[in-house]
């Protein structure tokens, strides 16, 4: 057995008696002074820490004075399904309103690739946001990494997959398209904020950015389906601006709520 | 000879869970029980890098205030310790930022602060006490090792409390083991037998 394998044993838990160790580990510990010292230190009896009695009493008094029953938040599955529901219904209603002209104009590969990014982004963000509502919930991917990844993937695929044609109406169509996307994002953000209002106590700014980005993806998906301008500069700038702006707005809102708290 | 293991009271998860559920239902005895059971280790966790004992006291109170305000976010059936330590970590980070802000505005102090909590406890514990060695590690490694080896949390629970992945927790733990090996070698009396 090697020192690294002893490390792996130490990962498994604490207060493991020496007698419970595998034979190979016990042999290694008796031969390797470095590992023996570490094992004794980490698996030895833990110190009982003392708390100043006045501090403990003060905390008890503070807590008991304002003790009221609270209803625990629902399971994260409830939040996950709710966020996915808002995402799906938002896109469905939006595309009903603006139609699916982009679907007919865009070539199948970039359309499918962009749709996959929007869909995957929506699902991943819903998962992440539902976990951010509870302190101590495990994350498969840190929310601060997820948001830039989704945005970057969208911009790259739009820039690579769509034709590079400059239109004379670039500055006219663009803001109108992004404006509609942002308006739709705002509508999607309202139920998201309402759903997330009781959670996200630890990182409201990150949760705000995630909720904003999720709402922004709804807006981006609606204009992705409906927009007749299927050129790379338009999609990479104006369509991508929708989730980016929504995420920044969510970030600011979250930071503001944190400062107020 | 290896040290004898002692049971760790905060590992009685079902006990903590039922206390937490009672706390959510406004059961005063459960709330008091939870505070008494968790506070000593939480205090030690928060006091690690605190400048003074008074600051550590404030941090603990602030931490319980946050726990109290966010108690509805605990979901019955889930482990309590990752939930509590996630709040404690953020309390400590915010406290550190606040302290830095205050210190940057204070150019002079009338007298030196009271000795820090870690050195206070150092005098009372054996020379090879784990907490003393842990305090000398970088903060992220210290947190991981404290949760795993003092509070007895699993890798998954530590990953939850620190908002990272199990792989990242393992990496930090292994780096900490290596540093501790070096520190132990430095403190070992000369001529110690292999």
């Amino acid at each position: 057995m090697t020192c690294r394998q002893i490390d792996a044993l130490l990962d498994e838990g604490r207060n493991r008696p020496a007698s419970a160790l595998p034979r190979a580990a016990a042999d290694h510990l008796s031969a390797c002074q470095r590992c023996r010292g570490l094992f004794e230190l980490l698996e030895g009896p833990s110190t009982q820490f003392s708390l100043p009695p006045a501090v403990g009493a003060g905390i008890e008094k503070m807590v008991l004075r304002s003790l009221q029953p609270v209803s625990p938040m629902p399971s994260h599955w409830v939040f996950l399904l709710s966020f996915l529901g808002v995402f799906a219904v938002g896109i469905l209603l939006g595309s009903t309103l603006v139609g699916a002209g982009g679907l007919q104009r865009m070539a199948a590969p970039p359309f499918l690739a962009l749709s996959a990014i929007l869909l995957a982004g929506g699902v991943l963000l819903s998962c992440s946001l539902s976990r951010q509502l509870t302190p101590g919930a495990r994350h498969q991917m840190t929310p601060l990494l997820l948001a830039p990844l989704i945005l970057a993937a969208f911009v790259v695929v739009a820039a690579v997959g769509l034709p590079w044609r400059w239109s004379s109406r670039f500055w006219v169509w663009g803001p109108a398209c992004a404006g509609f996307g942002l308006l739709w994002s705002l509508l999607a953000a309202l139920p998201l904020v309402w759903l997330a209002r009781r959670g996200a106590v630890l990182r409201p700014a990150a949760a705000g950015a995630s909720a904003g980005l999720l709402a922004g993806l709804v807006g981006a998906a609606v204009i992705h389906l409906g927009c007749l301008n299927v050129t790379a500069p338009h999609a990479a700038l104006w369509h991508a601006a929708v989730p980016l702006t929504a995420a920044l707005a969510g970030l600011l809102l979250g930071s503001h709520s944190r400062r107020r708290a | 000879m290896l040290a004898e293991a002692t049971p760790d009271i905060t590992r009685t998860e079902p006990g903590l869970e039922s206390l937490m559920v009672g706390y959510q239902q406004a059961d005063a005895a459960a709330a008091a029980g939870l505070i008494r059971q968790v506070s000593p280790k939480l205090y030690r966790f928060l006091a690690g890098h605190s400048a003074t004992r008074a600051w550590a006291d404030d941090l603990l109170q602030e931490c319980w205030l946050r726990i109290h305000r966010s108690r509805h976010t605990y979901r019955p059936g889930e482990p309590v310790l990752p939930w509590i330590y996630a709040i404690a970590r953020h309390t400590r980070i915010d406290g550190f930022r606040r302290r830095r802000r205050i210190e940057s505005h204070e150019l002079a102090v009338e007298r030196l602060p009271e000795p820090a909590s870690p050195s206070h406890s150092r005098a009372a514990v054996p020379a090879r006490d784990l907490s003393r060695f842990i305090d000398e590690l970088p903060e992220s490694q210290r947190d991981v090792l404290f949760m795993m080896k003092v509070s007895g949390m699993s890798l998954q629970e530590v990953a939850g409390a620190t908002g990272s992945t199990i792989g990242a927790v393992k990496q930090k733990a292994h780096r900490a083991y290596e540093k501790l090996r070096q520190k132990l070698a430095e403190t070992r009396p000369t001529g110690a037998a292999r």
Side-chain angles (χ1 to χ4, degrees), chain A residues 42-58:
Chain A
L42 295 180
E43 302 294 305
S46 62
T47 312
Q48 297 299 310
F49 302 114
S50 61
L51 175 72
V55 177

Side-chain angles (χ1 to χ4, degrees), chain A residues 31-50:
Chain A
C32 176
Q33 195 180 29
R34 279 161 51 87
C35 287
R36 190 167 65 244
L38 183 69
F39 193 87
E40 284 171 359
L41 182 74
L42 295 180
E43 302 294 305
S46 62
T47 312
Q48 297 299 310
F49 302 114
S50 61

Side-chain angles (χ1 to χ4, degrees), chain A residues 46-51, chain B residues 40-41 43-44 121 125 129 131 146 150:
Chain A
S46 62
T47 312
Q48 297 299 310
F49 302 114
S50 61
L51 175 72
Chain B
K41 285 189 178 172
Y43 183 68
R44 188 67 193 78
S121 52
V125 296
D129 178 67
S131 63
F146 189 95
V150 179

